[in-house]
């Protein structure tokens, strides 16, 4: 399947593979255990934590989509990150972005404090800070591009070369774009991580994650650790994500089209301050994004020109954008990172990362774009009435 386009891979994985009843769509295998053919003969699947036919279909699809040698589907995005860091030990240094997802920050910070490894959070868009961190010979460079929630973009090719030169592995969180719009392994990364809860599943009804490895030996090592620590995903969740992934190509196109319409409106709205989106020529990572991405995605962040009361008024006035965490579903969402997705970070850490108190993050869904723009406009109008 690796010579096919992403949309084809997403649709075709597992189709017409059933040899028992010749079902077009592969069946779901919910069994927790599997019969040994005979004493001493270990089958391909013996216990569902270690392997499951339904999960295998999803793992093959995601590995093919990312151009990797293998993948491990996990119970959530954070368990994928946790599985990744299981490869490292107490003396190893992990370099991570200072503006990464709040859950990732919490996990790395907490595990480092317990002595699992060392961690350094840096601004990866700052060449001096990056070179200083890499001079310490880290074992892993974790990249998030575009970052959550500020959509900062870094050059995966350049950072991978620099990291490999000092013996570090490179992992990229690709959740915001999906493999349809970015494939970090082709850019030099060793691992790709996703919260499949988001765009890959796309319907806000399954929590899951995946880590894809470029190297077959690393994929096997991750699979061993996934079974060992119980990080692997369940059969039903895998079945649901596999169903969701079949529409990934068309969904990503519509997310991006709708986000472009929302972005065009926000640029003319006087109550909107700084807008964060790599499609804007003024965005510091615009040229890099054009080079390494196949599109700009459906996430948009901006700062509201107003105080906390006006922010609250705006959020309460929205009708189509639900105030909720997560992202990448068919429905549009709005989040206040400071008090929601990144509340695990201290005020100081949020300020250092550039998260303003009035920063809002939109996950632009698949509703009609004109309706989404109208919803934003009426909410801004309500704020204007309070002034």
């Amino acid at each position: 399947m690796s010579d096919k386009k992403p949309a084809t891979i997403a649709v075709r994985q597992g189709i017409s593979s059933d040899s028992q009843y010749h079902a077009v769509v592969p069946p779901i295998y919910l069994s927790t255990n599997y019969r040994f053919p005979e004493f001493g003969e270990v089958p391909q699947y013996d216990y569902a934590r270690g392997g499951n036919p339904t999960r295998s279909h999803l793992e093959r699809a995601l590995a093919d989509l990312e151009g990797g040698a293998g993948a491990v589907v996990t119970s959530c995005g954070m368990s994928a990150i946790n599985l990744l860091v299981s490869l490292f030990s107490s003396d190893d240094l992990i370099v991570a972005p200072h503006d990464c997802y709040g859950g990732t920050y919490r996990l790395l910070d907490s595990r480092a404090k317990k002595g699992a490894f060392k961690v350094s959070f840096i601004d990866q868009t700052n060449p001096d800070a990056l070179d200083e961190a890499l001079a310490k010979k880290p074992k892993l460079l974790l990249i998030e591009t575009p970052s959550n929630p500020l959509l900062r973009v870094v050059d995966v090719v350049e950072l991978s070369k620099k990291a490999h030169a000092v013996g570090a592995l490179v992992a990229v969180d690709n959740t915001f774009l999906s493999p349809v719009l970015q494939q970090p392994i082709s850019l030099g990364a060793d691992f790709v991580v996703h919260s499949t809860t988001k765009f890959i599943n796309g319907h806000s009804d399954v929590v899951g994650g995946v880590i894809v490895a470029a190297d077959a030996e690393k994929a096997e090592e991750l699979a061993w650790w996934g079974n060992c620590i119980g990080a692997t995903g369940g059969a039903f969740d895998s079945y649901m994500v596999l169903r969701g992934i079949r529409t990934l190509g068309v969904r990503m196109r519509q997310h991006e089209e709708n986000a472009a319409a929302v972005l065009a409106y926000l640029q003319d709205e006087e109550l909107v301050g700084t807008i964060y989106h790599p499609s804007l020529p003024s965005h510091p990572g615009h040229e890099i994004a054009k080079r390494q991405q196949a599109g700009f995605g459906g996430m948009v962040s901006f700062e509201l020109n107003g105080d906390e009361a006006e922010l609250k008024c705006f959020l309460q006035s929205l009708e189509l954008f639900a105030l909720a965490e997560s992202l990448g579903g068919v429905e549009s969402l709005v989040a206040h990172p400071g008090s929601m997705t990144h509340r695990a970070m201290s005020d100081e850490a949020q300020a250092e990362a550039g998260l303003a108190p009035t920063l809002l993050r939109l996950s632009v869904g698949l509703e009609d774009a004109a309706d989404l723009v109208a919803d934003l406009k009426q909410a801004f109008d309500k704020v204007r009435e309070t002034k």
Side-chain angles (χ1 to χ4, degrees):
M1 297 290 289
S2 59
D3 62 335
K4 302 294 191 297
K5 302 295 184 183
T8 304
I9 294 171
V11 169
R12 296 299 306 181
Q13 179 57 52
I15 295 294
S16 299
S17 63
D18 175 39
S19 60
Q20 186 171 12
Y21 296 111
H22 308 293
V24 173
V25 175
I28 179 173
Y29 289 85
L30 293 172
S31 182
T32 57
N33 50 3
Y34 298 83
R35 181 176 56 84
F36 282 52
E38 58 181 77
F39 177 73
E41 184 179 343
V42 180
Q44 179 181 359
Y45 302 107
D46 57 356
Y47 189 65
R49 184 181 67 247
N52 171 275
T54 307
R55 189 165 74 236
S56 292
H57 278 308
L58 179 58
E59 288 170 340
R60 283 193 292 272
L62 292 169
D64 283 349
L65 280 167
E66 287 288 6
V72 179
V73 165
T74 61
S75 57
C76 65
M78 288 315 307
S79 64
I81 296 287
N82 196 38
L83 175 56
L84 171 65
V85 301
S86 297
L87 302 180
F88 305 97
S89 55
S90 58
D91 291 331
D92 293 338
L93 172 64
I94 295 174
V95 174
H98 72 321
D99 59 333
C100 63
Y101 166 55
T104 300
Y105 187 100
R106 176 178 55 203
L107 173 67
L108 296 178
D109 184 56
S110 299
R111 287 216 173 278
K113 287 176 179 176
K114 289 180 69 70
F117 44 76
K118 300 173 184 177
V119 66
S120 176
F121 296 101
I122 67 165
D123 180 356
Q124 295 182 355
T125 64
N126 183 331
D128 293 336
L130 181 66
D131 289 343
E132 182 179 344
L134 292 178
K136 299 175 182 178
K137 301 294 181 65
K139 295 297 184 181
L140 176 70
L141 176 65
L142 177 63
I143 296 170
E144 200 176 270
T145 183
S147 68
N148 180 3
L150 293 174
L151 291 106
R152 289 191 175 113
V153 173
V154 296
D155 190 327
V156 178
V157 173
E158 180 183 359
L159 267 62
S160 295
K161 288 179 179 177
K162 287 186 174 183
H164 291 155
V166 299
L169 295 167
V170 176
V172 177
D173 187 329
N174 198 26
T175 298
F176 263 29
L177 290 179
S178 90
V180 169
L181 298 183
Q182 182 172 259
Q183 297 174 327
I185 287 176
S186 69
L187 301 172
D190 301 288
F191 305 100
V192 180
V193 178
H194 288 273
S195 170
T196 59
T197 309
K198 313 303 194 295
F199 287 108
I200 285 178
N201 177 57
H203 292 78
S204 300
D205 53 9
V206 176
V207 174
V210 69
I211 178 166
V212 181
D215 177 76
E217 289 187 8
K218 287 298 183 185
E220 291 177 6
E221 186 178 2
L222 287 167
W224 188 91
W225 275 108
N227 178 52
C228 180
I229 67 176
T232 51
F236 186 76
D237 288 350
S238 296
Y239 179 83
M240 292 290 286
V241 175
L242 190 61
R243 186 182 69 164
I245 208 174
R246 300 198 192 284
T247 60
L248 180 61
V250 292
R251 284 190 288 105
M252 292 307 296
R253 286 198 297 273
Q254 193 61 51
H255 280 298
E256 186 167 20
E257 182 179 318
N258 285 2
V262 166
L263 190 62
Y265 164 71
L266 292 177
Q267 291 178 81
D268 292 329
E269 173 54 63
E270 61 182 10
L271 289 176
V272 171
T274 304
I275 301 173
Y276 302 92
H277 198 266
S279 70
L280 298 174
S282 60
H283 189 284
H286 176 67
E287 292 301 324
I288 299 173
K290 283 172 58 179
R291 185 166 64 246
Q292 72 185 14
Q293 300 173 192
F296 296 107
M299 302 299 299
V300 178
S301 294
F302 67 92
E303 293 170 15
L304 182 77
N305 283 335
D307 55 23
E308 184 176 336
E310 290 165 334
L311 180 75
K312 185 176 180 179
C313 174
F314 175 75
L315 292 173
Q316 289 179 332
S317 300
L318 290 168
E319 297 174 359
L320 296 181
F321 287 85
L323 180 62
E325 295 183 345
S326 198
L327 57 100
V330 295
E331 75 289 350
S332 291
L333 303 175
V334 59
H336 178 249
S339 64
M340 297 170 70
T341 57
H342 290 64
R343 66 179 178 271
M345 298 171 66
S346 67
D347 291 343
E348 293 77 17
Q350 287 192 29
E352 185 177 352
L355 274 64
T358 59
L359 178 72
L360 295 174
R361 187 194 72 187
L362 302 180
S363 176
V364 182
L366 305 186
E367 302 92 342
D368 189 282
D371 290 334
L372 294 176
V373 170
D375 188 38
L376 291 168
K377 184 179 184 306
Q378 65 83 25
F380 281 119
D381 286 343
K382 293 284 180 59
V383 175
R384 269 185 279 273
E385 292 173 3
T386 66
K387 287 184 176 291

